Amino acid sequence: MPRLSFREFTPADIPAVHDYASDAEVTRWSTWGPNTLDQTAAFVEGASRAQGEPDRSAYSLAAVLDGRPIGSVAVWTTDPHDRNGELGYTFHRAHWGQGYATEAVGRLLSLGFETLRLERISATCHPGNAGSIRVLEKSGFTLEGRLRSHRLVRGVRRDSLLFSILRNGHPGPVQPISE
Ligand SMILES: CC(C)(COP(=O)(O)OP(=O)(O)OC[C@H]1O[C@@H](n2cnc3c(N)ncnc32)[C@H](O)[C@@H]1OP(=O)(O)O)[C@@H](O)C(=O)NCCC(=O)NCCS
C-alpha cells in the first residue's frame, strides 16, 4: 500500500527541502551539500523546469508524506540512443528506516521503464553508504563493480559502487566482451 505521493516541486517547497538538504548527516555520502538556502532554491527551481520540456527526459520529484515533501527523488535518461538512465534519492533523516526510499525507487523504476522507455537504469553510491546499498539490493539492482576514484567530493576523490537494473528486472546474461 503506497504511503508516499510524488509531484513536481514548487517554490513553496524550498523550506521543507532545505530542512534535509542542509543537514550534514543527510548529505554525508552525497556528491552535493550540505546546501546553503540559495543552493536549495536553485535545486528546487531547476527541478521543476523539466516539466515543460516537449520530449521530457528527466523527472525530479518531491516525495510527499501527509502533504509535506520528505524527500527528493529523480530518474533521468543519460543516453537516449542506448536507452540508459540513472536514478537517485534523498530523504529527511526523521523518516529513515521506514521503507520510504524503497517505495520511491519502485515508483522511479516505473517512470524509468514505462514513461522514459529505458532499458537499463543505473545508480551509484559511496561504498560506505550502507542504507543506500540496501535500498538498491531490496529493489532488485545488481552490483556491477566499484568505480575507482569516481567522484571529487568536497575536495576528496571517492570510489563509487555501480548498480544497475534492466527492463525485465533480471540481471541479464553476461555478454562476451567481443560482442
Ligand atoms: C539512503 C536513504 C535514502 C535510505 O532511505 P530509507 O527510507 O531509510 O530506506 P529504506 O527504509 O527503504 O531502506 C533502508 C534499508 O537500509 C538499512 N540500513 C540503513 N542504514 C544501515 C546501516 N548503517 N547499515 C546497514 N543497513 C542499513 C535499513 O535497515 C533498511 O534495510 P531493511 O529494510 O532490510 O531493514 C536515506 O538514508 C537517505 O536519504 N540518506 C541520505 C541521502 C543518500 O545517501 N542518498 C543516496 C545517495 S546514493
Side-chain angles (χ1 to χ4, degrees), residues 40-97:
T40 298
F43 164 76
V44 169
E45 280 150 19
S48 51
R49 215 169 285 141
Q51 60 184 303
E53 288 174 1
D55 191 13
R56 188 169 183 174
S57 63
Y59 288 84
S60 180
L61 302 174
V64 176
L65 182 71
D66 299 331
R68 187 175 169 86
I70 62 159
S72 312
V73 304
V75 58
W76 63 97
T77 302
T78 54
D79 187 320
H81 172 79
D82 293 326
R83 307 235 59 79
N84 290 335
E86 198 168 335
L87 61 72
Y89 40 78
T90 297
F91 279 81
H92 193 298
R93 189 151 40 119
H95 300 281
W96 289 0

Side-chain angles (χ1 to χ4, degrees), residues 25-30 32 88-93 95-103 124-126 128-136 138:
E25 180 65 18
V26 169
T27 65
R28 178 178 176 202
W29 303 116
S30 304
W32 53 273
Y89 40 78
T90 297
F91 279 81
H92 193 298
R93 189 151 40 119
H95 300 281
W96 289 0
Q98 296 169 67
Y100 290 123
T102 306
E103 184 178 324
T124 57
C125 68
H126 187 279
N129 194 346
S132 186
I133 291 169
R134 184 78 192 114
V135 167
L136 294 170
K138 286 196 292 181

